[in-house]
Amino acid sequence: MSYQLELRHFNYFLAVAKELHFRKAAEKLFISQPGLSRQIKQMEEILDTPLFVRDKKKVKLTPAGMYLKEEVEFILNHLELIQKQSRTIGEGHLGEVRIGFLGSAMQEVIPKFLLQLKESYSGIKTSLEELSNRAQVDALLKDKLDIGFVRLARVPKGIEIMPVKEDSFSVVLPENHALSAENFKKMGQLKEESFILFAQEYSPLYYDTVVSICEDSGFSPKVSHKSVHAQTIFKLVENNLGVSIVPTSLQYGFKMKIKFIELKQIPQRAVLSVIWKSDNRNPVLKNCMDLILG
Amino acid sequence: MSYQLELRHFNYFLAVAKELHFRKAAEKLFISQPGLSRQIKQMEEILDTPLFVRDKKKVKLTPAGMYLKEEVEFILNHLELIQKQSRTIGEGHLGEVRIGFLGSAMQEVIPKFLLQLKESYSGIKTSLEELSNRAQVDALLKDKLDIGFVRLARVPKGIEIMPVKEDSFSVVLPENHALSAENFKKMGQLKEESFILFAQEYSPLYYDTVVSICEDSGFSPKVSHKSVHAQTIFKLVENNLGVSIVPTSLQYGFKMKIKFIELKQIPQRAVLSVIWKSDNRNPVLKNCMDLILG
DNA sequence: AATAGTCAATAACCATGAGTTATCAATTAG
DNA sequence: CTAATTGATAACTCATGGTTATTGACTATT
């Protein structure tokens, strides 16, 4: 009997724990069923505790098995990351930071940050991914991301959050709309319009804020369309399908037949925040955070 | 060529990374040097990056190697914990919490907590260890401990802290000392005494607080002896080697020729706090914290 | 210089055990 | 009952982790 667990065991265990079926798990692992059975058995001997209950035709996890499944998922995931990072560092980089962001952060915050990063730490590689608020938080928790740029008020425990950019809101209107910067006085003038907004799931804070802007003017907005892309929203506005309210900085970078009226008088702000995990083990994260918060 | 890292590689790597000497590392691992060399080489191939520089007579870590050393230490450590926990859970317990504490917490807080724990979650095992403030924080950060009972004002990032017990301070005097509860009026009366205190390294907060108590009365204490055990401090007081100031609850549980005078009038309090890591993955920690924080 | 000593790498070999195929025993479905 | 499906056993094989013996590169000693 061998006396030491190996990663192989963990991989096999996880496959069975997920499938709850030895034969199917073995297939996915490209090994034979008896081989798998034996490895799992060995694992149970090493840990000195059963991990599965093989009860007439059914395979179930024991409590210890359930616990181990959680932990093994975490470990294998983390291990994958370590392998990538080692390689990256070996290539002469200081490391890689995995950045998630909302589309609206791409207008200004992200490019500025990447430029700074290049100047200060040319050895840091980045990988960029556009993700929803929710997806960024999830990815952060699962150690799939190091930094996120989100619009959120609250964030789960273990995640840190700091505002990086405050923006005003602007009304977005089709170019031929009767209202203009000159004759626009108050939100109430949009009472009868239908609104095209970022989806609530995509950014609850944004959605709630926009609704509150309208409610401050005594009406609740009729939302006719939702999207997760500014591009789409603007396109719909351009085609007279409604109006929108978005962070002002989104006005740059799109060439469409629409106009923006900045809402200078209202108290609401579109706040973009960085989020990161306080116990993130990525050694170059500190450098990045110094730059962003510095 | 194999195409998958195994824990064996990590163990071997760590040995070499620590020794920086293949032969010595091989000895410690109870394998032959060529075998070790080959495994490391294989590891470098899998990671596709060199981990060591074998430079004329000297073995050094590459940057990637340094990074990996940190991570591997963390992973192997965490893995060990997981194995223990699986076993514990397999035995029918819900899990095990590893508790560290200052001696002074043993008087009341710890027994009370253990009793509650037994009543509410009889399935939770505990391991107890008396440690200094500093040692508890270190152990917590290294994942060697789940909960600590400390006297600290501040705590590093990633660690949570909550006060659990407030205590007054008491002066400790030899039984035959001229001062007594009746004729003791103010701290100034102890101006000329020499003090026996808990060592500053052991509990900086305690030490600073005691000094502040004296300074509030216009003198700074002459400290003649320091210790990390109440037992020792009381013994010294008993033998007329000085007086002390300690959290009042320490008066129970020791049978010595000493007397306690509670300092009811001063503002300083001896605060005992729980500390734990916000990202601790121990599934029964939550139950414990619910009990402690109520 | 010459020699001895120390290091990790290489080469050739061996034996453990991961993974194979064939089969069994137990259960379920029709 | 029979057929199908499950995981466990048994017997075998072969890849590879680990072995010993040796080499090549370097250092320290005389």
Side-chain angles (χ1 to χ4, degrees):
Chain A
M1 180 193 127
S2 73
Y3 72 138
Q4 167 79 291
L5 279 187
E6 284 298 342
L7 290 182
R8 168 176 26 89
H9 292 112
F10 289 127
N11 278 311
Y12 290 178
F13 166 75
L14 206 55
V16 180
K18 278 179 177 164
E19 296 288 330
L20 293 177
H21 198 291
F22 278 76
R23 186 147 310 194
K24 285 182 196 162
E27 253 172 55
K28 287 211 170 182
L29 293 166
F30 301 105
I31 62 169
S32 66
Q33 173 264 314
L36 178 58
S37 282
R38 235 183 35 159
Q39 287 298 307
I40 296 291
K41 193 182 171 192
Q42 194 185 66
M43 191 172 172
E44 292 176 317
E45 273 165 16
I46 297 173
L47 288 172
D48 195 21
T49 196
L51 299 171
F52 297 99
V53 182
R54 290 85 156 167
D55 198 20
K56 21 185 108 185
K57 294 295 245 184
K58 275 201 182 113
V59 176
K60 284 186 298 186
L61 283 163
T62 61
M66 291 180 204
Y67 163 76
L68 201 64
K69 187 190 170 200
E70 291 296 311
E71 292 304 316
V72 165
E73 271 179 331
F74 173 80
I75 289 253
L76 291 184
N77 194 32
H78 191 59
L79 226 49
E80 208 179 310
L81 174 61
I82 289 174
Q83 294 198 31
K84 270 205 213 110
Q85 282 282 10
S86 301
R87 178 93 203 283
T88 306
I89 294 172
E91 280 171 349
H93 298 97
L94 288 173
E96 175 176 320
V97 272
R98 299 156 305 168
I99 301 167
F101 60 95
L102 293 177
S104 61
M106 209 40 174
Q107 290 304 324
E108 190 184 340
V109 175
I110 295 276
K112 191 177 145 206
F113 167 57
L114 293 181
L115 216 62
Q116 278 187 311
L117 194 62
K118 193 178 158 191
E119 277 168 12
S120 305
Y121 307 100
S122 61
I124 299 182
K125 258 176 80 175
T126 60
S127 81
L128 292 157
E129 202 175 353
E130 187 175 339
L131 294 166
S132 75
N133 283 313
R134 179 66 188 285
Q136 288 187 60
V137 170
D138 287 350
L140 220 59
L141 286 173
K142 279 188 195 148
D143 238 339
K144 296 276 189 194
L145 215 60
D146 298 304
I147 300 175
F149 288 88
V150 297
R151 298 189 190 278
L152 285 172
R154 234 182 298 275
V155 108
K157 222 165 187 195
I159 292 187
E160 312 272 329
I161 181 161
M162 282 287 284
V164 283
K165 179 90 200 300
E166 257 203 20
D167 203 358
S168 60
F169 283 97
S170 283
V171 173
V172 190
L173 302 172
E175 205 163 62
N176 57 10
H177 195 280
L179 284 177
S180 69
E182 285 71 44
N183 61 22
F184 179 86
K185 299 292 178 217
K186 55 186 181 49
M187 281 299 298
Q189 293 172 273
L190 295 169
K191 193 187 323 195
E192 299 304 327
E193 298 282 353
S194 68
F195 282 79
I196 304 159
L197 301 179
F198 284 102
Q200 192 163 19
E201 316 82 76
Y202 179 72
S203 183
L205 176 61
Y206 158 85
Y207 195 90
D208 293 351
T209 307
V210 168
V211 169
S212 84
I213 290 172
C214 295
E215 284 176 344
D216 284 356
S217 293
F219 71 98
S220 49
K222 292 188 293 266
V223 180
S224 55
H225 301 282
K226 295 178 182 181
S227 171
V228 301
H229 287 112
Q231 172 90 29
T232 312
I233 292 175
F234 293 165
K235 207 75 201 169
L236 295 177
V237 172
E238 186 177 40
N239 285 284
N240 285 297
L241 289 162
V243 302
S244 187
I245 297 178
V246 300
T248 301
S249 61
L250 272 178
Q251 75 182 279
Y252 311 108
F254 292 96
K255 194 174 176 181
M256 297 201 197
K257 292 197 172 62
I258 52 179
K259 56 187 173 189
F260 288 76
I261 304 177
E262 187 177 357
L263 299 170
K264 288 179 183 159
Q265 65 286 23
I266 64 167
Q268 287 89 346
R269 311 254 94 195
V271 178
L272 187 75
S273 300
V274 228
I275 56 173
W276 71 101
K277 244 174 106 195
S278 46
D279 66 314
N280 187 306
R281 299 185 56 79
N282 189 330
V284 296
L285 178 61
K286 200 194 166 310
N287 301 324
C288 292
M289 293 321 298
D290 286 351
L291 274 185
I292 295 171
L293 304 176
Chain B
M1 180 192 128
S2 74
Y3 71 139
Q4 165 81 292
L5 278 188
E6 284 298 342
L7 290 182
R8 169 175 24 89
H9 292 111
F10 289 126
N11 278 309
Y12 291 178
F13 166 75
L14 206 54
V16 181
K18 278 179 178 164
E19 295 289 330
L20 293 178
H21 197 290
F22 277 75
R23 187 151 309 199
K24 285 183 196 164
E27 255 171 53
K28 287 211 171 184
L29 293 165
F30 300 104
I31 63 168
S32 65
Q33 172 263 314
L36 178 58
S37 282
R38 236 183 33 160
Q39 287 298 308
I40 297 291
K41 192 182 172 191
Q42 195 184 64
M43 190 170 172
E44 293 176 318
E45 272 165 17
I46 297 172
L47 288 172
D48 195 21
T49 194
L51 299 171
F52 296 99
V53 182
R54 290 84 154 165
D55 198 18
K56 20 186 109 186
K57 296 293 244 181
K58 276 198 182 116
V59 176
K60 284 186 299 184
L61 283 162
T62 61
M66 292 180 204
Y67 164 76
L68 201 64
K69 186 189 170 201
E70 291 296 311
E71 292 305 315
V72 164
E73 270 178 331
F74 173 81
I75 290 253
L76 292 183
N77 194 33
H78 191 59
L79 226 49
E80 207 180 310
L81 175 60
I82 289 174
Q83 294 199 31
K84 270 206 213 111
Q85 282 281 10
S86 301
R87 177 94 202 282
T88 306
I89 293 172
E91 280 168 350
H93 298 97
L94 288 173
E96 175 178 320
V97 271
R98 299 157 304 169
I99 301 168
F101 59 95
L102 291 178
S104 59
M106 209 39 173
Q107 291 303 326
E108 191 184 338
V109 175
I110 296 275
K112 192 177 143 204
F113 167 58
L114 292 181
L115 216 64
Q116 278 189 311
L117 195 62
K118 192 179 158 190
E119 277 169 12
S120 305
Y121 306 100
S122 61
I124 299 182
K125 259 175 77 175
T126 60
S127 80
L128 293 157
E129 201 175 354
E130 187 176 339
L131 293 166
S132 74
N133 283 314
R134 179 67 190 285
Q136 288 187 60
V137 170
D138 286 351
L140 220 61
L141 286 173
K142 278 188 195 147
D143 239 339
K144 296 276 188 194
L145 216 59
D146 297 306
I147 300 176
F149 287 90
V150 296
R151 298 189 190 278
L152 285 172
R154 232 182 298 277
V155 107
K157 221 161 188 200
I159 291 186
E160 311 274 328
I161 181 162
M162 282 287 285
V164 284
K165 180 92 198 302
E166 255 201 34
D167 203 359
S168 60
F169 283 97
S170 284
V171 174
V172 192
L173 302 172
E175 205 163 60
N176 57 8
H177 195 281
L179 284 176
S180 70
E182 286 72 42
N183 60 22
F184 179 85
K185 300 292 177 213
K186 56 185 179 51
M187 282 301 299
Q189 293 172 270
L190 295 170
K191 193 189 319 195
E192 299 305 327
E193 299 280 354
S194 70
F195 282 79
I196 303 160
L197 303 179
F198 284 101
Q200 192 162 21
E201 315 82 76
Y202 179 71
S203 183
L205 177 60
Y206 159 84
Y207 195 89
D208 293 350
T209 308
V210 169
V211 168
S212 85
I213 291 172
C214 295
E215 284 175 344
D216 284 356
S217 292
F219 71 98
S220 50
K222 290 188 294 269
V223 180
S224 55
H225 301 282
K226 295 178 182 181
S227 171
V228 301
H229 288 112
Q231 172 89 30
T232 310
I233 291 175
F234 293 165
K235 207 76 199 168
L236 296 177
V237 172
E238 187 177 40
N239 286 283
N240 284 296
L241 289 163
V243 302
S244 187
I245 297 177
V246 299
T248 300
S249 61
L250 272 177
Q251 74 182 281
Y252 311 108
F254 293 96
K255 196 176 176 181
M256 297 201 197
K257 294 197 172 60
I258 52 177
K259 56 188 174 188
F260 288 75
I261 304 176
E262 187 176 356
L263 299 170
K264 288 179 181 160
Q265 66 286 21
I266 64 167
Q268 286 89 347
R269 312 254 94 197
V271 179
L272 187 76
S273 300
V274 229
I275 56 173
W276 72 99
K277 242 174 107 194
S278 47
D279 65 313
N280 187 307
R281 298 185 58 80
N282 189 330
V284 296
L285 179 62
K286 199 193 166 311
N287 300 323
C288 293
M289 294 321 298
D290 286 351
L291 274 185
I292 295 173
L293 303 177

